[in-house]
């Protein structure tokens, strides 16, 4: 059986930028403490895109 292992070398800078930003928001989503979670998720998504989320996604798709 084949096990996929993502090679993050080409996007390590983007991952280093995205990871802490995700951490800032994660507690809100895990605890359900944000009554405006949809707006917060949209804001987070925009911030992650600026930090390189699309490049990470594209690399993931390419490797898969």
């Amino acid at each position: 059986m084949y096990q996929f292992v993502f090679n993050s070398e080409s996007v390590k800078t983007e991952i280093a930028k995205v990871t802490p930003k995700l951490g800032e928001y994660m507690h809100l989503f895990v605890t359900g403490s944000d009554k405006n979670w949809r707006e917060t998720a949209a804001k987070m998504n925009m911030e992650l895109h600026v930090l390189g989320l699309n490049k990470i996604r594209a690399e993931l798709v390419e490797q898969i």
Side-chain angles (χ1 to χ4, degrees):
M1 182 176 191
Y2 178 74
Q3 183 176 357
F4 174 74
V5 178
F6 180 63
N7 180 351
S8 63
E9 189 62 30
S10 66
V11 290
K12 65 182 178 182
T13 301
E14 290 77 10
I15 291 172
K17 292 178 184 178
V18 165
T19 300
K21 185 57 71 175
L22 270 173
E24 290 177 25
Y25 286 97
M26 194 54 62
H27 72 281
L28 294 173
F29 298 118
V30 170
T31 62
S33 60
D34 186 356
K35 65 181 179 178
N36 298 315
W37 66 269
R38 289 180 199 262
E39 292 84 8
T40 302
K43 178 183 174 191
M44 178 189 72
N45 193 43
M46 294 293 286
E47 291 176 13
L48 293 176
H49 281 284
V50 169
L51 296 173
L53 183 61
N54 283 340
K55 185 174 179 183
I56 297 168
R57 286 180 176 163
E59 182 63 26
L60 181 62
V61 168
E62 184 177 318
Q63 288 184 35
I64 292 174

